[in-house]
Amino acid sequence: MSKAEDLTKVKSCPTHFVLAINDTLNVLIGKWKLPIIGSLLFGKKRFRELEREIPRITPRMLSKELKDLEINGIVKRTVHDTIPVTVEYELTESGRSLNSVLDAMIEWGLDHRKMSIAPEKAA
Amino acid sequence: MSKAEDLTKVKSCPTHFVLAINDTLNVLIGKWKLPIIGSLLFGKKRFRELEREIPRITPRMLSKELKDLEINGIVKRTVHDTIPVTVEYELTESGRSLNSVLDAMIEWGLDHRKMSIAPEKAA
DNA sequence: TATAGTGCTATACTAAAGTATAGTGGTTAC
DNA sequence: GTAACCACTATACTTTAGTATAGCACTATA
């Protein structure tokens, strides 16, 4: 029995799985999380590099989202005391392990596009 | 090679996988989508049943989210011309197949809670 | 006639997410 | 000395998501 089938046991055990799903959603939700994670899958990046690689992101949003991702243990921030300081961002083990989730999402997304007439009408 | 590793090919092929992930995120995002899907995993439900089963949801949000889910091919709406009319909502095949995605999310979420000190600080 | 149930919609509001623009405090190159 | 790069932060704004409250058109029951 799959864990999602277990979700049908939500009445007897709601918090456990629902919270786990929400944790996962929270690290992916937001306009810029995916582009940032995608960019960091290439390896360590500095602030300005990310800014350049992600079109139209503002420094405010990049800073905010990186902080979120850091708090959530997805991204590791390293300050090198060069002059001027350089800061590097990289995915943690947790961050890299999101791969399996993204895989499942890609698979569902592609299958669903095949089936659905108008998936692009999504809000 | 996993599809998410393929995501590192984002520079050469950005739209394909990124759009698939966004499709998947879009059907799950929002305060009420998961409770609704969770409730419909038990089987067909009527509007008022969903209203009763999902604490604190307003009819406005339930109506709106069900419409979203219907447009996205996750939920099927059936009107029976009884008097007064009864309306039934159920998951489509696409909706039920979200199981695999939810499974991956549960797994990552649980693992991540083990590792992370303060995942509940997520926005 | 009144109350409650069916499946919603309308209007108006608050809160959260995201954008635009400017500026900080430092260093290095011209 | 002035322009540009580094890694941001501050302030103010717009846009989107969600809430609160009321009501519609219908029927069945007391």
Side-chain angles (χ1 to χ4, degrees):
Chain A
M1 177 153 97
S2 80
K3 279 161 192 159
E5 283 178 74
D6 277 347
L7 191 65
T8 57
K9 285 181 180 165
V10 74
K11 273 171 181 162
S12 53
C13 174
T15 49
H16 199 222
F17 291 144
V18 170
L19 287 183
I21 294 175
N22 278 327
D23 279 0
T24 312
L25 274 176
N26 279 334
V27 309
L28 296 176
I29 276 177
K31 186 170 177 183
W32 303 109
K33 300 259 169 63
L34 229 42
I36 292 170
I37 291 169
S39 184
L40 291 177
L41 282 170
F42 291 95
K44 291 181 184 179
K45 291 281 165 63
R46 291 171 56 185
F47 192 89
R48 295 293 304 230
E49 284 182 276
L50 288 167
E51 222 182 322
R52 275 188 294 266
E53 284 187 14
I54 302 168
R56 285 176 304 281
I57 195 167
T58 60
R60 186 193 186 289
M61 286 312 287
L62 180 55
S63 173
K64 183 190 162 296
E65 297 292 60
L66 283 170
K67 243 172 234 159
D68 272 16
L69 291 169
E70 200 194 346
I71 286 169
N72 282 288
I74 308 305
V75 160
K76 189 176 164 233
R77 182 178 184 267
T78 315
V79 181
H80 303 279
D81 55 352
T82 52
I83 294 171
V85 286
T86 51
V87 181
E88 278 183 330
Y89 296 92
E90 60 188 309
L91 293 179
T92 60
E93 184 47 43
S94 273
R96 281 188 300 272
S97 71
L98 277 169
N99 257 347
S100 55
V101 178
L102 297 178
D103 271 352
M105 294 180 76
I106 289 168
E107 196 162 302
W108 187 89
L110 293 178
D111 280 7
H112 181 63
R113 289 224 145 197
K114 269 182 236 155
M115 282 192 266
S116 179
I117 300 161
E120 69 282 358
K121 279 182 188 164
Chain B
M1 176 152 103
S2 81
K3 281 164 193 158
E5 283 178 75
D6 276 348
L7 191 65
T8 59
K9 284 182 181 164
V10 75
K11 273 169 181 163
S12 53
C13 175
T15 47
H16 199 222
F17 291 145
V18 169
L19 287 183
I21 294 174
N22 278 327
D23 280 0
T24 312
L25 274 176
N26 279 335
V27 309
L28 296 176
I29 277 177
K31 186 170 177 182
W32 302 108
K33 299 259 169 66
L34 229 42
I36 292 170
I37 292 170
S39 185
L40 290 178
L41 281 171
F42 290 95
K44 291 182 183 178
K45 291 281 163 63
R46 293 170 56 185
F47 192 88
R48 295 293 304 237
E49 283 182 275
L50 287 167
E51 224 182 319
R52 276 188 294 265
E53 282 186 15
I54 302 168
R56 286 176 302 283
I57 196 168
T58 60
R60 186 194 187 290
M61 286 313 288
L62 181 53
S63 173
K64 181 189 164 297
E65 297 292 61
L66 283 170
K67 246 172 232 159
D68 272 16
L69 291 168
E70 200 194 346
I71 286 169
N72 281 289
I74 310 305
V75 160
K76 189 177 165 234
R77 180 176 184 269
T78 315
V79 182
H80 303 278
D81 56 351
T82 52
I83 293 172
V85 287
T86 51
V87 180
E88 277 183 332
Y89 296 92
E90 62 187 309
L91 294 178
T92 60
E93 184 47 42
S94 274
R96 281 189 300 272
S97 71
L98 276 169
N99 258 347
S100 55
V101 178
L102 297 178
D103 271 352
M105 294 180 75
I106 288 168
E107 198 162 300
W108 187 90
L110 293 177
D111 280 6
H112 182 63
R113 289 224 144 195
K114 270 182 233 152
M115 285 191 264
S116 178
I117 299 159
E120 70 283 357
K121 279 180 186 165

